[in-house]
Amino acid sequence: MAAEQTHDVAECGRVDDSITRVFQVLGKRWNGPILSVLQGQRTHFADLRRAIPGISERMLSDRLAELGGAGLVVREVDEGPPLRVSYRLTESGAALEPALRELGAWAKEHLPDAPPCGEIG
């Protein structure tokens, strides 16, 4: 027989709305690695794809559009020739650098070893 809950539901803590918004962006697969690669440098699309093993061109394009919509990434067209597209972080995107660095350090210390990038099922 299950124990009856006797706590007041109104007293339960709620997740902070800002944390919910952060993980709506950073919680999507590939967004963290994309933002990490773009830290401190403007990067061409092909170089981004090479830097993130396992991501398809379509997924990279979709995630970059989402990050752009969130105000974290800017798409720039180099007229060329040849015509090339590059991406850079906005001021808001660049402000994530300390948090991403801390998350990486935390993961090294607290998360078990995982298979290399691109081998995750």
Side-chain angles (χ1 to χ4, degrees):
M1 175 181 266
E4 185 177 327
Q5 291 186 359
T6 59
H7 67 276
D8 183 356
V9 175
E11 292 178 15
C12 289
R14 285 184 36 103
V15 174
D16 185 296
D17 288 341
S18 60
I19 293 295
T20 299
R21 289 193 319 271
V22 164
F23 282 98
Q24 285 174 338
V25 175
L26 295 182
K28 285 191 173 179
R29 187 173 186 194
W30 306 115
N31 282 357
I34 291 168
L35 292 169
S36 180
V37 170
L38 290 174
Q39 290 295 321
Q41 62 185 347
R42 184 176 152 207
T43 307
H44 290 101
F45 184 89
D47 296 329
L48 264 172
R49 179 137 189 274
R50 280 191 291 274
I52 305 170
I55 193 169
S56 69
E57 284 187 22
R58 170 71 184 227
M59 182 59 69
L60 178 57
S61 181
D62 288 350
R63 291 295 189 245
L64 286 165
E66 288 177 18
L67 291 168
L72 302 175
V73 172
V74 173
R75 180 181 188 265
E76 298 174 331
V77 177
D78 304 327
E79 294 300 328
L83 183 97
R84 293 183 75 188
V85 176
S86 63
Y87 296 85
R88 67 172 174 80
L89 295 177
T90 63
E91 187 175 323
S92 295
L96 281 167
E97 183 176 4
L100 290 174
R101 193 173 41 249
E102 286 296 317
L103 285 170
W106 176 87
K108 285 178 184 173
E109 185 174 338
H110 297 285
L111 292 179
D113 289 339
C117 293
E119 293 182 20
I120 297 172

